[in-house]
Amino acid sequence: MGMTIETIITDCEQSIKQSELFIKAHQKNMEIGEIKEYQYYIERDKLTIDTMRKYQKIEQIVKEWGDSGLLQNQLYKLIREVVEDGNDT
């Protein structure tokens, strides 16, 4: 696949900025449903970024510690911390 995780994250960040600016500029003329739709896109992109960052952290843990002899339950604990970090976003 031609896209990198960083490219997708950058695209999502740009999409968030554009959606926020669009809402701000046109809020008076927008229906509530339209605003909620843009807010949905913003939240979707934030969740995408959060998920991809977690994936990168897990990838790094596996790369750095996978062959180190670290016990599987220790690896699991490190990965679990990543997954649980920011779960309330």
Side-chain angles (χ1 to χ4, degrees):
M1 192 182 228
M3 295 184 103
T4 66
I5 289 176
E6 286 304 319
T7 299
I8 294 169
I9 289 171
T10 299
D11 288 350
C12 287
E13 290 170 340
Q14 286 299 317
S15 178
I16 291 167
K17 288 177 188 176
Q18 289 171 351
S19 293
E20 289 173 341
L21 289 172
F22 188 85
I23 290 172
K24 188 175 181 178
H26 301 284
Q27 191 169 11
K28 292 180 183 178
N29 300 324
M30 293 175 74
E31 299 282 330
I32 291 175
E34 290 175 301
I35 293 171
K36 286 185 178 186
E37 185 176 350
Y38 278 95
Q39 289 171 335
Y40 166 81
Y41 295 138
I42 291 168
E43 290 305 311
R44 178 202 60 193
D45 289 341
K46 287 179 178 180
L47 181 58
T48 299
I49 291 168
D50 182 58
T51 302
M52 291 193 168
R53 292 279 186 226
K54 287 179 181 180
Y55 176 82
Q56 288 176 320
K57 288 178 185 176
I58 292 169
E59 213 174 29
Q60 182 179 2
I61 289 168
V62 170
K63 182 179 178 183
E64 291 178 9
W65 298 101
D67 295 329
S68 70
L70 200 62
L71 296 176
Q72 282 184 333
N73 63 346
Q74 291 171 310
L75 276 174
Y76 171 76
K77 182 180 177 185
L78 290 171
I79 292 170
R80 183 176 173 185
E81 289 173 6
V82 171
V83 171
E84 291 176 350
D85 180 42
N87 239 2
D88 55 342
T89 56

